[in-house]
Amino acid sequence: MDTQIAVQPSALIGWAGRPVLMDKAHQHDDLEINFVAEGGTMLYLFGGEPVEIGPGSVAAFWAAVPHQLVANSATRAHWVHVPFATFLGWNLPSALVGRLLSGTPLIAPPAAVMDADSANFTQWAADLSSARPERRRIMLLEVEARVRRLALDAPGGPVRPYSGGDPALRHVVAMVRHIAEHFREPLTVADVAAAANLHPNYAMAHFRKVAHATIGDYLAGCRLAEGRRLLITTDLPIADVAAESGFSSVSRFYSAFKTGCGVPPAAYRRQHR
């Protein structure tokens, strides 16, 4: 089940507005930072787990991991995307970088909410729209400081399990979690469906209804994210990276990587090392 998935280009951007549910899971080579300014909670399916970002909370995660906003009661949120090369250039503590690259988001608990967050995120968006390079440099310094503080405040335990009442979403959460835990192995639709105790045809319909993608597409996204992580963090030969990421052959890995990232694996490694 090696299908193709495209990765959105990396960019330094920031904006605000009412969150909109996403048509399907996507990936982009950035550190993504979210801030819920008003209203309720944003619920992502992220790397096999449901991740809830509540009112006033700030979250940061490596957006190469497939993620999708599937439920929302927030009325206003802010987003900042920091290109991956810029993020690596911050020389953050290795434990923090490792945590983010492993697919674990940083989420500030309510007790760690900062009064200045709303004003800061608004200012950062204004700085990014400015034609003055110095404003963008100051913005990046401030964002780096906020991520460092977030790392101190975010709890280190596992994310809280999803307990919502939507049966379809619960089934898809179970399937996404199974994919995240087993994507390195040969997987069939029947394997994934069994994790939710569903018939394969019913599982595929459920998955498309909630995730707006096929099980194969989501699986390919997980494998591609793992391949990128291994290229950046290890010296494994390309063939070993392909195998460790779950691709059935090196040629399939090269094809998926070139389609998804726009460059071959070796070039991607040189760009980010």
Side-chain angles (χ1 to χ4, degrees), residues 18-20 28 49 71 95 120 135 149 154 161 165 167 172 177 190 193 195 201 225 254:
R18 189 184 188 99
V20 177
H28 45 96
E49 295 290 345
N120 284 342
R135 287 190 175 275
R149 188 179 296 278
V172 173
R177 180 177 290 127
N201 291 342
Y254 269 90

Side-chain angles (χ1 to χ4, degrees), residues 199-222:
H199 185 278
N201 291 342
Y202 193 49
M204 288 189 292
H206 255 327
F207 205 92
R208 278 187 175 276
K209 178 181 179 182
V210 174
H212 302 281
T214 67
I215 291 173
D217 283 339
Y218 194 91
L219 173 60
C222 291

Side-chain angles (χ1 to χ4, degrees), residues 111-230:
V113 170
M114 297 179 64
D115 293 337
D117 277 333
S118 184
N120 284 342
F121 274 86
T122 300
Q123 181 64 55
W124 295 339
D127 290 341
L128 285 172
S129 66
S130 170
R132 299 176 62 182
E134 183 65 12
R135 287 190 175 275
R136 298 167 73 91
R137 281 193 286 267
I138 292 170
M139 172 265 180
L140 280 172
L141 288 170
E142 292 175 347
V143 171
E144 177 187 345
R146 185 65 183 94
V147 171
R148 288 179 179 271
R149 188 179 296 278
L150 177 61
L152 295 177
D153 295 332
V159 295
R160 182 163 58 90
Y162 174 67
S163 57
D166 184 345
L169 185 52
R170 284 203 306 271
H171 284 311
V172 173
V173 165
M175 289 188 280
V176 167
R177 180 177 290 127
H178 186 80
I179 291 172
E181 292 173 351
H182 298 281
F183 67 83
R184 298 171 185 85
E185 309 162 13
L187 277 182
T188 66
V189 170
D191 296 330
V192 177
N197 297 314
L198 296 175
H199 185 278
N201 291 342
Y202 193 49
M204 288 189 292
H206 255 327
F207 205 92
R208 278 187 175 276
K209 178 181 179 182
V210 174
H212 302 281
T214 67
I215 291 173
D217 283 339
Y218 194 91
L219 173 60
C222 291
R223 288 172 172 166
L224 187 56
E226 179 67 358
R228 292 152 84 191
R229 186 186 73 82
L230 291 173

Side-chain angles (χ1 to χ4, degrees), residues 4 25 34 42 131 154 159 211 239:
Q4 303 294 321
N34 293 179
M42 298 196 301
V159 295

Side-chain angles (χ1 to χ4, degrees), residues 9-160:
S10 181
L12 177 61
I13 54 176
W15 75 99
R18 189 184 188 99
V20 177
L21 300 186
M22 296 165 63
D23 289 340
K24 60 182 179 180
H26 73 165
Q27 300 170 275
H28 45 96
D29 231 353
D30 305 298
L31 179 72
E32 180 169 334
I33 307 164
N34 293 179
F35 168 55
V36 179
E38 300 171 4
T41 296
M42 298 196 301
L43 175 67
Y44 282 97
L45 285 181
F46 179 85
E49 295 290 345
V51 173
E52 294 179 274
I53 306 173
S57 287
V58 174
F61 54 85
W62 185 35
V65 177
H67 56 284
Q68 179 180 8
L69 185 65
V70 295
N72 173 69
S73 57
T75 55
R76 183 172 178 80
H78 293 258
W79 295 266
V80 173
H81 291 182
V82 177
F84 193 54
T86 302
F87 160 66
L88 291 177
W90 287 346
N91 293 317
L92 298 172
S94 58
L96 170 57
V97 175
R99 176 178 176 175
L100 288 166
L101 292 185
S102 72
T104 304
L106 301 173
I107 303 177
V113 170
M114 297 179 64
D115 293 337
D117 277 333
S118 184
N120 284 342
F121 274 86
T122 300
Q123 181 64 55
W124 295 339
D127 290 341
L128 285 172
S129 66
S130 170
R132 299 176 62 182
E134 183 65 12
R135 287 190 175 275
R136 298 167 73 91
R137 281 193 286 267
I138 292 170
M139 172 265 180
L140 280 172
L141 288 170
E142 292 175 347
V143 171
E144 177 187 345
R146 185 65 183 94
V147 171
R148 288 179 179 271
R149 188 179 296 278
L150 177 61
L152 295 177
D153 295 332
V159 295
R160 182 163 58 90

